[in-house]
């Protein structure tokens, strides 16, 4: 076997090992990014769950303190605007969650041999 052939084989082996190392590094980075995305997604779901549960309570707060006490509406007159306020806030929060979930960037895994 000539020196040129040995050099070519050695270069091919070194290149293959370098490619494997790069693939392993890339896979590790993607795994780390995926873990961060999963944690962030879980935090978002938790926050939005609390907001979705708490916003309907704004009906009672706004009805009593804002519409009845501040604007001097009676009990019947304050029910509809307070319910509309609560409904609008709830739809805003749901729309914001859908927007954030839709625009979230998710890393893709690469195949390793």
């Amino acid at each position: 076997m000539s020196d040129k052939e040995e050099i070519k084989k050695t270069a091919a082996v070194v290149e293959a090992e370098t490619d494997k190392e790069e693939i392993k590094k890339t896979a590790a980075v993607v795994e780390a990014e995926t873990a961060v995305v999963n944690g962030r997604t879980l935090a978002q779901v938790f926050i939005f769950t609390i907001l979705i549960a708490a916003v309907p309570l704004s009906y009672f707060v706004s009805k009593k303190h804002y519409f009845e006490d501040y604007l001097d509406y009676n009990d019947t007159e304050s029910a509809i605007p307070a319910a509309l306020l609560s409904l609008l806030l709830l739809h805003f929060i749901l729309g914001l969650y859908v927007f954030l979930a839709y625009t979230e960037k998710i890393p893709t895994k690469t195949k390793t041999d």
Side-chain angles (χ1 to χ4, degrees), residues 45-87:
V45 168
F46 181 70
I47 290 169
F48 279 97
T49 300
I50 290 173
L51 286 173
I52 289 170
V55 164
L57 296 176
S58 69
Y59 166 78
F60 298 106
V61 173
S62 67
K63 182 178 183 303
K64 174 65 179 147
H65 294 290
Y66 183 71
F67 291 106
E68 290 179 12
D69 292 344
Y70 184 71
L71 295 178
D72 293 328
Y73 285 9
N74 65 24
D75 189 39
T76 308
E77 291 174 334
S78 65
I80 292 175
L84 288 175
L85 177 65
S86 179
L87 186 67

Side-chain angles (χ1 to χ4, degrees), residues 16-67:
E17 288 177 6
T18 304
D19 288 344
K20 286 180 183 179
E21 289 175 13
E22 288 179 18
I23 289 171
K24 287 179 183 178
K25 287 178 185 176
T26 304
V29 168
V30 168
E31 273 188 43
E33 288 177 359
T34 303
V36 168
V37 169
N38 288 341
R40 185 175 40 223
T41 302
L42 186 59
Q44 275 185 350
V45 168
F46 181 70
I47 290 169
F48 279 97
T49 300
I50 290 173
L51 286 173
I52 289 170
V55 164
L57 296 176
S58 69
Y59 166 78
F60 298 106
V61 173
S62 67
K63 182 178 183 303
K64 174 65 179 147
H65 294 290
Y66 183 71
F67 291 106

